[in-house]
Amino acid sequence: MYPELLIPLLTALGLALAALALVAVRQPVSRRLAFRQVARRRTEAALVIGGSVLGTAIVIGALVVGDTLNFSVRQEAYRTLGPVDERVVAPPGPTGDAVTRRLAALADDPDVDGVLDARTAQASAVSGAAGRRTAEPRVLAWQLDFGEASRFGSAGGDSGLGGPDPEPGRVVVNEPLARSLGVSAGDPVTLYLFGAPRTYRVERVVPEEGLAGVGLGGRLNRDVFLAPGALDAAARAAGTEPRPVTFVSNRGGVEGGEDLTGRVSADIRRALGPLAGQTAVETPKHTVLRDARQAGDSLGALFLMIGSFSIIAGALLLVNIFVMLGEERKSQMGMVRAVGMKRSRLVGSFTLEGAAYAVLSALPGVAIGVAVGWGVSVVAAKIFEGWAIGGSSIRIAFAVTPTSILNGLAMGLLIAFAAILATSVRISRFNIIAAIRDLPATPGREPRRRLLVVSTVLAVLCALAAVPAVARSRPDMTYLLPALALAFAAPALLRVLPRHTVTTLVAGAVLAWTLLAPVVRPRIFDTPSMSVYVIQGALAAFSAVVLVSDNQRTLLRPLRRVLERPTESGLAARLAVAYPLAKRFRTGATLVMYTLIMFVLVLLTEISGILRTGVDGVVADATAGYSLRLDYNAQVAGDRLAADLRDGPSAARISAVTPLLNATGRATDPGRRGTQPLDAAVVGVPDGAISGITFRERLPGLGDDAAVWRALAADPRYVVLDGFFGSTGGPAGDYYDPGDTLTLTDPRTGRAERKVIAGVLSNGMVFYPGTGASSTTYPVVLSERATRDLFGAQAQNASALVRTSPGTSPDALAARLQGQQLASSLVATPIESDIRRQFDSSTAFFRLMEGFLALGLGVGITGLGVVMVRAVRERRRTIGILRALGFRSRSVQRSFLWESSFIALEGIVLGSFLGVLTTWLMYRNSAAFEGLEGGFPVEWAGIGGLAVATFAASLLATIGPARRAAAIRPALAVRVTE
């Protein structure tokens, strides 16, 4: 993923490593100090490396997930297209024959590797193999020359289809159709061609690759290839003709030819001349590869966003460790500075030590990251099956590219180097005498004049820039600029207010703005970018932790009686809270780790709960009482299918049938997110037939949902969209409103009309094609009259909505109708079952993200373990004195366990509270939750399970350090220092 970042990241990493190498060579004393510390403290070094490993692994895991999805979608080009770059679909009859003759001239085009003529028809198939009758309603029957097919494409390439033509009475089937029917070579199969059954014998089964998996836009194509002339003969017997299709292969390989798509498409249109208006010139290769890039980038960015919270936690772990190292070595640093060591060399020593930890964690981080990416891919494969339409889910195939490995490695190391360098510079600033005497730092009340001037100027600039950013609801800047303005104003406030008051006011104001920004500017979430969620979560966690850390004593007042008890337990409790109160920075850094991860885990848990409770409302909004969506072969069924259903053998089970007009169109994006036209599944609804499907937004003046449908029927300018029109991943957002316009085009004739959005559907799932169209094909709903006016003969009744009679099972009726209307290739989709299945898959996807984020929880728990290990070493002498005064070892152990429990519990509670509150505010104000009307649930069981698991893991991480503290011998601890 992100090949454009490879060179900049590697350049930055090379410069960083070169600078470190230069420091190591030119500062031998700093180098020896750094590497000696790494070798001396092996346990602590192992913990630091463990935390760094997880940070690198999370980055690489997210990038590998993007690689996998990108590769998986690109494989569709190999399976269903192979050398096919352009596809020209002509109308049957003399026009189609003329198109074929005109396109033959493309064989001499230097940009073209081959031109292949074929004929196709939609069919259905039945097999009685193994004594079991199996039907497949969606089959594409093809007639083409196998010899020409084998030579199609670049020289030496594999077209995917070769060998001899099938003999008369025999057919070649591809693997998807063979699996669906359970047939193999030699088995009989009955094909319904143009509504009439014909029996053939399978000559051979070919792999689904290239031309053997070709289709007319679906992800999964069940193909059957007939003998020369067989399809024409079946069409003549039915009084019709098959549809001519011409495949064009551009110069280059399967993916390389895509670069010539624009030029060759223009050549095709020139060759067609006046027939171009009656012909569809499609560029499926370009569409598939575009979808692959969008899908890979979208999912990779999503997991990188989720992982970024863990990355922040990993960086805080390094910062916390080095702050503790600085405190532990304060006397040593004071002495080396007193004898003449420059501060820059002290910074170099710490930076080299941290760089050593980061480099040692690199290779394990790569290995674990690849393993994490593989695990996510395995689970994602099952989830994508649940999102499938017509069995056409993306087939997940694990893949990893060197680019992602190098990008992840470079990002992980650079983040670690930056955190270490910043911390090293900070801890190297100290008073030498105070450091030698081990006195606590005493910061001055007022900031220096230069800092005051610079920070005040920055505060004013940020405040001025925040005004237009907030007014325009710019997502990132709406959060960042006001928060930065408040932070930069702190030095000026310190001139007039106490430090505690300033910290409380600034942190409280940042937290309040972070939580209330979605209320004030709800459109800030109308963006596919994930950065806004990272900024929101980070600001909420940091400001809340600062606020809590600065007011710990106030928060602990209710526990005063417990803490002041004159017992050994009371003393252990006082010790448990004394050090967190005294070491606010290290406590705060650990709290931020816990708060960040728990915040996002709880947020994902709550979103899953909202989906579960809202599914009933979504079903009601989407179906309006309809139970089934039917998709069928318009060429065979024509306009008579609705009448057949009303009067046929299943009439008693059907209470209403609403036929829909269907056409293929192209539309501009009303949200203006891009300039490329979007694939549109145009749906024409009969006047007055649909009035119960609801809208989340309506054109002003249309008082209710029925008024929108009446306006649609009365005015051909109006169209209806759903909230996902033009979406390519990420939150749906709210990019267009009723009253906005789009241009709808018939790609066959080039005729275009400007349309006005009359309403945005609460849920438009019933209007999506039910036969496995591209994931970037979006429905546009018009009236029947408007559809026929724009699309003419292309608009055909190819789908319908069905209401079942009371007591009828939609699933049972779907199977029954598919059997009765097999000749019409009818596919019946139970709407409610389909919606619930997709919601279940969405919930499972959130669970997958929670599992991915759990790695970040490991970083936080590791951080707590490191803090406690260091605390044992730091308090060795204090523990020895307490033990010498009669403090029992059991109480020492108890105080350490209570201390870690205090920190973990505070982080868990804070993160959980912020997660629930933030999700509630998003639910009330974000367009992404519109249509989910089941109410806001608090997932007590899920949150409680997360809290208990996190708390238990935290205790396990500190049992070891607590036992070591309890085992310290008083005499040795008092007399000997390490």
Side-chain angles (χ1 to χ4, degrees):
M1 276 188 69
Y2 305 126
E4 69 279 4
L5 295 180
L6 182 61
I7 298 302
L9 283 174
L10 290 182
T11 302
L13 180 61
L15 292 173
L17 291 173
L20 289 168
L22 185 64
V23 170
V25 171
R26 297 190 61 183
Q27 299 180 13
V29 175
S30 299
R31 182 184 69 241
R32 286 196 292 271
L33 282 173
F35 295 154
R36 185 179 299 161
Q37 294 293 346
V38 174
R40 282 182 62 207
R41 305 293 174 84
R42 295 181 183 178
T43 302
E44 291 88 334
L47 288 171
V48 177
I49 291 170
S52 301
V53 161
L54 290 176
T56 303
I58 288 164
V59 177
I60 291 178
L63 298 180
V64 168
V65 169
D67 279 344
T68 295
L69 193 62
N70 184 301
F71 175 77
S72 300
V73 179
R74 280 192 292 113
Q75 288 311 291
E76 186 180 318
Y78 289 84
R79 284 198 324 271
T80 64
L81 294 170
V84 176
D85 289 284
E86 289 81 32
R87 182 173 58 223
V88 183
V89 183
T95 302
D97 295 335
V99 167
T100 301
R101 289 193 297 271
R102 282 177 172 268
L103 293 178
L106 287 174
D108 299 325
D109 191 318
D111 291 331
V112 173
D113 272 339
V115 178
L116 179 65
D117 297 323
R119 290 176 178 265
T120 189
Q122 192 173 315
S124 52
V126 179
S127 166
R132 184 169 57 90
R133 183 178 171 85
T134 307
E136 176 50 60
R138 283 282 162 159
V139 177
L140 283 175
W142 294 92
Q143 176 185 291
L144 48 77
D145 187 302
F146 273 60
E148 292 182 5
S150 64
R151 296 187 295 273
F152 181 67
S154 59
D158 183 8
S159 70
L161 196 62
D165 290 325
E167 298 291 333
R170 291 179 174 268
V171 293
V172 174
V173 301
N174 70 356
E175 285 182 345
L177 180 57
R179 282 195 303 269
S180 180
L181 295 176
V183 299
S184 58
D187 290 336
V189 61
T190 299
L191 298 179
Y192 285 83
L193 297 171
F194 308 101
R198 296 172 184 270
T199 301
Y200 302 89
R201 192 164 293 275
V202 177
E203 184 170 294
R204 63 184 184 273
V205 177
V206 293
E208 181 195 17
E209 185 174 341
L211 290 174
V214 78
L216 296 176
R219 281 205 176 98
L220 178 65
N221 300 303
R222 299 175 177 92
D223 295 330
V224 58
F225 301 90
L226 284 75
L231 193 61
D232 289 331
R236 282 195 301 271
T240 184
E241 293 189 46
R243 184 177 294 277
V245 178
T246 301
F247 298 115
V248 180
S249 174
N250 298 348
R251 176 169 45 83
V254 173
E255 297 187 45
E258 191 252 344
D259 295 335
L260 298 172
T261 296
R263 206 154 65 194
V264 174
S265 297
D267 293 342
I268 291 172
R269 290 187 174 88
R270 279 195 296 269
L272 290 173
L275 299 179
Q278 305 174 54
T279 308
V281 180
E282 301 170 354
T283 56
K285 183 76 66 64
H286 173 75
T287 301
V288 167
L289 296 179
R290 179 201 65 199
D291 288 354
R293 287 189 288 268
Q294 289 178 345
D297 289 349
S298 176
L299 195 61
L302 177 62
F303 276 89
L304 198 58
M305 182 274 289
I306 294 296
S308 63
F309 293 99
S310 303
I311 295 165
I312 293 171
L316 283 172
L317 172 59
L318 291 174
V319 170
N320 212 6
I321 287 168
F322 276 84
V323 167
M324 293 181 70
L325 288 176
E327 292 177 355
E328 180 186 330
R329 303 174 192 171
K330 187 162 59 174
S331 298
Q332 174 188 333
M333 291 190 300
M335 286 186 282
V336 296
R337 289 281 284 120
V339 298
M341 189 177 197
K342 293 182 179 179
R343 191 165 68 87
S344 61
R345 295 183 180 268
L346 194 59
V347 172
S349 173
F350 271 102
T351 305
L352 285 175
E353 182 180 348
Y357 294 137
V359 170
L360 288 172
S361 69
L363 289 180
V366 169
I368 295 174
V370 172
V372 167
W374 176 82
V376 170
S377 302
V378 170
V379 178
K382 299 184 182 299
I383 293 172
F384 277 106
E385 288 176 7
W387 279 329
I389 298 176
S392 62
S393 65
I394 298 174
R395 303 181 200 177
I396 299 296
F398 177 70
V400 57
T401 62
T403 299
S404 290
I405 296 295
L406 292 174
N407 277 344
L409 186 62
M411 288 170 67
L413 287 174
L414 287 171
I415 291 169
F417 290 165
I420 292 163
L421 178 61
T423 310
S424 300
V425 171
R426 177 67 186 88
I427 63 179
S428 65
R429 292 180 174 274
F430 55 84
N431 182 283
I432 296 175
I433 297 174
I436 294 173
R437 299 177 63 186
D438 199 18
L439 298 175
T442 54
R445 182 177 180 275
E446 296 183 355
R448 288 175 294 178
R449 187 179 299 277
R450 185 184 302 174
L451 174 63
L452 178 64
V453 172
V454 172
S455 63
T456 303
V457 170
L458 289 174
V460 172
L461 292 176
C462 287
L464 292 175
V467 174
V470 173
R472 297 172 186 172
S473 295
R474 291 180 178 171
D476 298 347
M477 295 299 105
T478 296
Y479 278 117
L480 271 179
L481 290 175
L484 289 174
L486 288 166
F488 286 133
L493 293 174
L494 284 172
R495 306 282 284 190
V496 294
L497 294 172
R499 183 177 296 273
H500 169 72
T501 304
V502 170
T503 304
T504 300
L505 286 175
V506 171
V510 171
L511 179 60
W513 175 246
T514 303
L515 295 175
L516 295 177
V519 179
V520 179
R521 310 304 299 170
R523 296 185 70 94
I524 58 176
F525 291 120
D526 296 346
T527 172
S529 172
M530 299 296 172
S531 60
V532 62
Y533 298 96
V534 178
I535 294 170
Q536 181 200 32
L539 284 177
F542 276 90
S543 57
V545 167
V546 170
L547 187 64
V548 168
S549 297
D550 210 55
N551 293 274
Q552 288 279 27
R553 297 187 184 279
T554 303
L555 295 174
L556 288 172
R557 279 181 184 172
L559 301 176
R560 184 183 301 172
R561 289 188 178 182
V562 176
L563 297 175
E564 293 180 353
R565 284 187 305 175
T567 63
E568 195 169 357
S569 295
L571 179 57
R574 287 196 295 278
L575 287 173
V577 299
Y579 280 94
L581 292 177
K583 307 291 185 181
R584 285 190 297 180
F585 182 86
R586 76 170 66 165
T587 303
T590 308
L591 273 178
V592 169
M593 294 185 220
Y594 274 85
T595 303
L596 266 178
I597 306 303
M598 284 300 299
F599 167 78
V600 186
L601 283 173
V602 170
L603 186 141
L604 294 175
T605 301
E606 283 294 303
I607 292 175
S608 298
I610 292 170
L611 291 177
R612 281 197 304 275
T613 57
V615 66
D616 291 335
V618 170
V619 169
D621 289 340
T623 62
Y626 288 104
S627 304
L628 297 176
R629 175 186 166 110
L630 309 181
D631 294 271
Y632 49 89
N633 185 349
Q635 190 175 5
V636 174
D639 296 331
R640 61 177 172 76
L641 185 73
D644 289 349
L645 293 175
R646 294 187 188 105
D647 303 327
S650 297
R653 297 175 173 85
I654 297 173
S655 64
V657 179
T658 301
L660 303 175
L661 275 180
N662 299 96
T664 300
R666 304 277 282 167
T668 56
D669 183 5
R672 291 165 179 77
R673 287 159 289 184
T675 57
Q676 290 296 320
L678 303 170
D679 295 328
V682 180
V683 181
V685 298
D687 296 351
I690 297 178
S691 59
I693 296 180
T694 62
F695 295 88
R696 76 182 194 193
E697 294 178 272
R698 296 184 293 270
L699 199 65
L702 302 178
D704 55 22
D705 297 330
V708 179
W709 293 113
R710 288 195 297 270
L712 196 72
D715 193 335
R717 294 177 304 153
Y718 286 143
V719 297
V720 165
L721 307 179
D722 83 333
F724 290 93
F725 190 87
S727 174
T728 57
D734 188 8
Y735 299 98
Y736 45 86
D737 298 298
D740 290 343
T741 61
L742 58 87
T743 301
L744 187 62
T745 306
D746 182 348
R748 304 198 180 199
T749 64
R751 183 181 175 187
E753 291 183 2
R754 196 167 187 81
K755 301 292 185 181
V756 178
I757 301 174
V760 180
L761 291 159
S762 300
N763 189 292
M765 289 187 69
V766 295
F767 297 116
Y768 278 86
T771 53
S774 167
S775 60
T776 52
T777 299
Y778 312 99
V780 178
V781 183
L782 296 79
S783 67
E784 265 192 346
R785 176 166 61 95
T787 305
R788 293 192 189 278
D789 289 346
L790 179 56
F791 293 91
Q794 193 210 147
Q796 295 181 307
N797 286 118
S799 64
L801 299 178
V802 173
R803 280 195 178 99
T804 56
S805 300
T808 300
S809 166
D811 295 88
L813 181 60
R816 184 183 180 91
L817 291 179
Q818 287 188 172
Q820 292 171 353
Q821 298 291 334
L822 189 61
S824 300
S825 300
L826 184 142
V827 175
T829 304
I831 300 171
E832 180 175 346
S833 301
D834 199 46
I835 292 174
R836 291 187 184 278
R837 176 175 52 81
Q838 296 200 34
F839 265 69
D840 288 343
S841 296
S842 298
T843 302
F845 191 72
F846 279 103
R847 296 296 184 204
L848 175 63
M849 289 192 288
E850 288 178 26
F852 184 73
L853 188 62
L855 289 172
L857 202 56
V859 175
I861 293 168
T862 300
L864 183 60
V866 170
V867 168
M868 300 313 294
V869 168
R870 287 285 179 183
V872 173
R873 189 179 304 280
E874 183 182 85
R875 304 177 205 167
R876 183 180 179 87
R877 183 179 292 273
T878 303
I879 293 169
I881 294 172
L882 288 171
R883 294 281 285 114
L885 292 173
F887 208 60
R888 289 186 293 178
S889 61
R890 185 175 62 184
S891 298
V892 172
Q893 181 174 333
R894 187 185 302 165
S895 70
F896 272 83
L897 290 174
W898 286 356
E899 180 178 339
S900 65
S901 300
F902 169 68
I903 296 172
L905 191 61
E906 199 166 43
I908 290 168
V909 171
L910 195 57
S912 300
F913 173 75
L914 288 175
V916 172
L917 181 58
T918 302
T919 313
W920 180 76
L921 290 169
M922 290 171 61
Y923 174 76
R924 295 294 300 271
N925 298 283
S926 173
F929 293 97
E930 289 186 6
L932 295 171
E933 300 171 354
F936 180 79
V938 177
E939 295 290 302
W940 294 109
I943 296 172
L946 284 172
V948 170
T950 304
F951 187 73
S954 302
L955 284 181
L956 287 174
T958 53
I959 283 176
R963 285 180 175 175
R964 286 182 58 189
I968 290 175
R969 296 182 181 180
L972 194 62
V974 173
R975 296 173 59 188
V976 180
T977 59
E978 290 190 338

